[in-house]
């Protein structure tokens, strides 16, 4: 297991380097100019060029990338071109809001998907399976931003039960107020994750119920619920471990559109603001942090795979 961890960490170095090159190239190819956010109607061309020089945008792309890479290797992700604040500080400040929202949403989705997926798979093609499948298809099909707007209209505007935006009410600093603000965005994200997890668990349950060990358990007189939740569930959860590992990257990026719709002060809304302002250092910093967490999530999934199924040897684990 130690060799696996060391091998994956060493593989992460060239992968992160490749991700940074691709991201930087795409940013440079994208239309727009960050200098435009500093220009005023009465500004002269010399002043504009001076701003471009001070921001380092008058240098060739490879020179800009090399300077950014040098700063990054020293632990500095640079400064925002818009607000001139350190990129790392902005990410760290907003990370708890996104991690909390995404973490709770993913946890709720898994807790709901496990029993629902098992029940759907055990009742294949029956009305209960069709009902659960309908919920999953709706979750996969509808855009989350559209669902978010509907929830805001109904629960915030029409019923006045929940706040429509932000993380806290001005003048209040209580956990209950944060929870109240997080109900709507958490519901939207949980519904989105739930749809995907349901399909995986249902498919795995159908496949496991055809295995011989299930028939042996029935022959020994085990109840259907016992076989389903004690034996089948262990095998069905293995693919979910992989999905959770892949979800680690989303703890940084969050749901960009969902956070923007609800004005949630997380990294997702920070990323959207950076994209609109062509804030290269912030975009690069968020992308790099997301890629790093995704790599660590895959490594964690491999480790959990070996713990969940002792038959899997660390040298044979594949991502």
């Amino acid at each position: 297991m130690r060799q696996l961890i060391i091998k994956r960490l060493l593989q992460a170095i060239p992968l992160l380097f490749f991700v940074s090159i691709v991201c930087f190239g795409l940013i440079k190819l994208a239309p727009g100019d960050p200098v435009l956010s500093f220009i005023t109607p009465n500004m002269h061309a010399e002043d504009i060029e001076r701003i471009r020089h001070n921001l380092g945008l008058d240098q060739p792309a490879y020179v800009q990338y090399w300077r950014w890479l040098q700063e990054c290797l020293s632990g500095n992700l640079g400064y925002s071109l818009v607000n001139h604040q350190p990129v790392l500080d902005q990410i760290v400040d907003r990370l708890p809001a996104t991690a909390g929202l995404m973490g709770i949403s993913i946890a709720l989705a898994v807790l709901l998907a496990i029993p629902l997926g098992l029940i759907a798979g055990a009742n294949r093609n029956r009305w209960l399976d069709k009902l659960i499948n309908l919920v999953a298809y709706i979750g996969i099909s509808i855009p989350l931003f559209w669902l978010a707007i509907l929830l805001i209209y109904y629960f915030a505007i029409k019923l006045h039960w929940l706040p429509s935006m932000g993380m806290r009410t001005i003048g209040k600093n209580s956990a209950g107020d944060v929870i109240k603000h997080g109900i709507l965005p958490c519901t939207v994200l949980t519904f989105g994750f739930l749809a995907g997890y349901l399909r995986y668990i249902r498919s795995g349950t159908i496949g496991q119920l055809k295995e011989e060990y299930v028939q042996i358990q029935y022959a020994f007189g085990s109840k259907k619920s016992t076989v389903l939740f004690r034996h089948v569930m262990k095998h069905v959860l293995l693919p979910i471990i992989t999905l959770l590992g892949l979800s680690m990257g989303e703890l940084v990026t969050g749901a960009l559109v969902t956070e923007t719709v609800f004005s949630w002060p997380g990294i997702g809304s920070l990323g959207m603001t950076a994209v609109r302002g062509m804030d290269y250092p912030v975009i690069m910093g968020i992308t790099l942090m997301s890629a790093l967490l995704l790599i660590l999530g895959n490594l964690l999934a491999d480790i959990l795979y070996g713990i969940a199924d002792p038959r899997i040897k660390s040298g044979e684990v594949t991502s």
Side-chain angles (χ1 to χ4, degrees):
M1 187 64 69
R2 182 181 299 176
Q3 294 179 351
L4 172 66
I5 296 175
I6 296 175
K7 180 181 178 181
R8 288 300 178 87
L9 292 177
L10 292 177
Q11 290 175 345
I13 297 175
L15 183 58
L16 289 174
F17 179 69
F18 176 75
V19 169
S20 67
I21 292 177
V22 173
C23 181
F24 192 86
L26 291 176
I27 290 174
K28 286 300 180 181
L29 292 174
D33 188 353
V35 178
L36 296 177
S37 59
F38 298 91
I39 295 177
T40 60
N42 299 324
M43 188 172 291
H44 297 288
E46 294 81 5
D47 298 327
I48 297 175
E49 290 303 319
R50 189 181 300 110
I51 294 174
R52 191 181 303 276
H53 175 74
N54 292 335
L55 295 176
L57 299 177
D58 58 340
Q59 299 293 327
Y62 67 90
V63 175
Q64 296 181 40
Y65 174 78
W66 176 246
R67 289 180 175 177
W68 175 85
L69 184 61
Q70 286 179 317
E71 293 291 333
C72 185
L73 292 176
S74 64
N76 181 17
L77 295 180
Y79 290 83
S80 168
L81 299 179
V82 176
N83 54 31
H84 307 290
Q85 296 181 5
V87 173
L88 184 59
D89 291 349
Q90 294 185 69
I91 293 177
V92 171
D93 289 342
R94 290 176 177 253
L95 182 59
T98 295
L101 181 64
M102 298 299 296
I104 293 174
S105 301
I106 293 173
L108 289 176
V110 171
L111 292 176
L112 292 173
I114 291 174
L116 291 177
L118 289 171
I119 293 172
N123 295 275
R124 184 183 182 185
N125 295 330
R126 298 179 183 176
W127 70 268
L128 193 56
D129 177 37
K130 293 180 180 179
L131 179 61
I132 296 175
N133 257 330
L134 177 63
V135 174
Y137 283 131
I138 293 175
I140 294 173
S141 302
I142 65 172
L144 292 185
F145 76 89
W146 182 77
L147 176 61
I149 293 173
L150 284 182
L151 293 182
I152 290 175
Y153 171 75
Y154 190 75
F155 291 101
I157 298 177
K158 194 172 182 179
L159 297 178
H160 302 285
W161 287 355
L162 298 170
S164 61
M165 61 178 62
M167 186 175 172
R168 290 184 176 88
T169 303
I170 298 177
K172 293 184 179 181
N173 192 21
S174 62
D177 185 59
V178 175
I179 293 174
K180 191 175 181 180
H181 279 78
I183 290 177
L184 290 183
C186 185
T187 301
V188 172
L189 293 173
T190 300
F191 189 63
F193 286 119
L194 176 63
Y197 294 160
L198 269 177
R199 300 295 297 166
Y200 276 95
I201 296 178
R202 176 186 178 275
S203 177
T205 302
I206 293 174
Q208 289 298 318
L209 289 176
K210 298 177 182 178
E211 297 293 332
E212 292 184 0
Y213 75 89
V214 174
Q215 305 304 322
I216 293 174
Q217 291 296 326
Y218 284 140
F220 279 105
S222 299
K223 296 181 180 180
K224 185 176 181 179
S225 58
T226 302
V227 174
L228 197 62
F229 288 95
R230 181 174 296 180
H231 301 284
V232 173
M233 185 174 68
K234 294 179 181 179
H235 299 275
V236 169
L237 290 182
L238 290 178
I240 300 300
I241 294 176
T242 302
L243 292 178
L244 291 177
L246 295 175
S247 300
M248 285 292 291
E250 298 184 23
L251 292 179
V252 171
T253 58
L256 297 176
V257 178
T258 303
E259 285 193 2
T260 303
V261 171
F262 287 101
S263 299
W264 189 262
I267 297 180
S269 57
L270 175 65
M272 291 294 289
T273 303
V275 170
R276 288 194 295 265
M278 299 298 295
D279 198 342
Y280 302 151
V282 174
I283 298 174
M284 290 292 295
I286 293 176
T287 302
L288 200 64
M289 293 290 289
S290 178
L292 178 61
L293 271 186
L294 181 60
I295 294 171
L296 295 178
N298 282 331
L299 175 60
L300 180 61
D302 288 341
I303 296 174
L304 293 177
Y305 238 79
I307 296 175
D309 191 347
R311 297 173 300 175
I312 300 177
K313 297 180 180 180
S314 61
E316 301 175 352
V317 174
T318 58
S319 58

